[in-house]
Amino acid sequence: MSKNDNKGTAVVTGASSGIGAVYADRLAGQGYDLVLVARRADRLQDLAEKLRHAYGRKVSVISADLSDDDDVRHVEQAISSDETVTLLVNNAGLGGQAVVATADADAAERMIKVNVVALTRLTRAVLPGLLARNRGGIVNIASVLAFDTSFGGIYSGTKAYVVNFTEALQREVADTKVRVQVVLPGATRTDFWELSGGDIDALPKEIIMAADDMVDAALVGLARGEAVTVPALADTGKLDTFLGARQAFYGSLHADKPAARYAA
């Protein structure tokens, strides 16, 4: 793609490092201008300058803490009023706080604000414009831990929200040209683990994916129109089986009377 091609503006949250920084690089290479959002202003500026030089794209930065209500509203206002926005990548996320009984309540609240509230508000900020222009997309980064609570219910619960929220969005935009994708990474080598107080090297090496590989796979999935992308999943039939079983289970949850097993 030449530098004269332009797909509009992609907004990437959590863009200062890791998965977000890779998304920024790849999307700039595909022809997007960028709005990069993260807390660490110095890293954002360094990345923005690198991408401008490498790809000749317009790159602006917004230094914001997405656990802060005022900062979230500032980002909302900036992206909702920008008619060039065609893609939102909700990548920012916090981890840690595995055990509820000993979790820091304020830290847990910050995680919920970033992983759930900010993601929801920023989606709401751009969606009307995307629908009005009938183009573009939203990518929400969840986690395979949306389906596994063994690493703690707070983080897992936030990512389960992202999966369900995105699935509902997909129904909402089904008759339009707006695409909505949820990405479920497994263990990915980024500084997320260190910032969350974890040690990724405690995991088997064969289950740890490089951030570049994860993002490249997710972008292939987006280009193919996948609603759910799991970069590590070799057999997509397993995903179809899981989703089908879930739907069949849901269909058995409604009746006009309690099940016979609850009779007195």
Side-chain angles (χ1 to χ4, degrees), residues 169-182:
L169 276 181
Q170 289 162 351
R171 289 194 178 94
E172 188 173 335
V173 304
D175 296 327
T176 75
K177 293 183 179 179
V178 177
R179 296 172 296 168
V180 178
Q181 176 198 37
V182 64

Side-chain angles (χ1 to χ4, degrees), residues 13 19-20 23 88-93 115 119 138-143 155 158-159 162-163 166 181-185 214-215 218:
T13 68
I19 291 170
Y23 261 108
L88 168 65
V89 180
N90 277 311
N91 165 72
N115 297 6
L119 178 143
I138 296 169
V139 176
N140 290 331
I141 307 300
S143 168
Y155 179 77
T158 66
K159 293 305 183 178
V162 174
V163 171
T166 308
Q181 176 198 37
V182 64
V183 181
L184 288 84
M214 198 291 294
V215 173

Side-chain angles (χ1 to χ4, degrees), residues 114-244:
V114 173
N115 297 6
V116 173
V117 178
L119 178 143
T120 305
R121 293 190 68 102
L122 297 187
T123 298
R124 172 60 183 82
V126 303
L127 185 58
L130 298 180
L131 291 173
R133 296 184 288 274
N134 200 28
R135 66 178 295 217
I138 296 169
V139 176
N140 290 331
I141 307 300
S143 168
V144 296
L145 294 181
F147 305 127
D148 182 3
T149 59
S150 62
F151 288 87
I154 303 173
Y155 179 77
S156 175
T158 66
K159 293 305 183 178
Y161 172 88
V162 174
V163 171
N164 286 352
F165 175 73
T166 308
E167 185 176 291
L169 276 181
Q170 289 162 351
R171 289 194 178 94
E172 188 173 335
V173 304
D175 296 327
T176 75
K177 293 183 179 179
V178 177
R179 296 172 296 168
V180 178
Q181 176 198 37
V182 64
V183 181
L184 288 84
T188 307
R189 187 172 292 281
T190 70
D191 62 1
F192 173 87
W193 290 79
E194 180 181 352
L195 294 172
S196 301
D199 180 10
I200 194 171
D201 290 318
L203 301 177
K205 291 183 179 179
E206 60 269 20
I207 72 167
I208 302 173
M209 190 176 293
D212 295 69
D213 292 338
M214 198 291 294
V215 173
D216 287 340
L219 286 171
V220 169
L222 181 65
R224 291 177 177 173
E226 288 186 351
V228 181
T229 296
V230 190
L233 182 64
D235 182 0
T236 56
K238 291 183 177 180
L239 178 62
D240 294 337
T241 298
F242 170 76
L243 295 175

Side-chain angles (χ1 to χ4, degrees), residues 30-42:
Q30 289 185 7
Y32 287 91
D33 293 331
L34 299 171
V35 175
L36 307 180
V37 182
R39 289 183 298 111
R40 293 175 285 189
D42 54 341

Side-chain angles (χ1 to χ4, degrees), residues 66-141:
L66 295 183
S67 69
D68 181 271
D69 294 344
D70 290 338
D71 280 11
V72 171
R73 283 166 173 74
H74 173 63
V75 178
E76 281 182 292
Q77 291 170 2
I79 65 178
S80 65
S81 61
D82 186 346
E83 294 186 356
T84 70
V85 170
T86 54
L87 183 66
L88 168 65
V89 180
N90 277 311
N91 165 72
L94 296 178
Q97 309 302 312
V99 181
V100 174
T102 58
D104 180 289
D106 291 335
E109 181 180 0
R110 286 194 295 274
M111 185 195 305
I112 294 167
K113 282 187 170 183
V114 173
N115 297 6
V116 173
V117 178
L119 178 143
T120 305
R121 293 190 68 102
L122 297 187
T123 298
R124 172 60 183 82
V126 303
L127 185 58
L130 298 180
L131 291 173
R133 296 184 288 274
N134 200 28
R135 66 178 295 217
I138 296 169
V139 176
N140 290 331
I141 307 300

Side-chain angles (χ1 to χ4, degrees), residues 12-28:
V12 183
T13 68
S16 61
S17 64
I19 291 170
V22 178
Y23 261 108
D25 177 85
R26 300 301 194 264
L27 293 171

Side-chain angles (χ1 to χ4, degrees), residues 257-264:
K257 294 180 181 180
R261 61 196 174 92
Y262 293 115

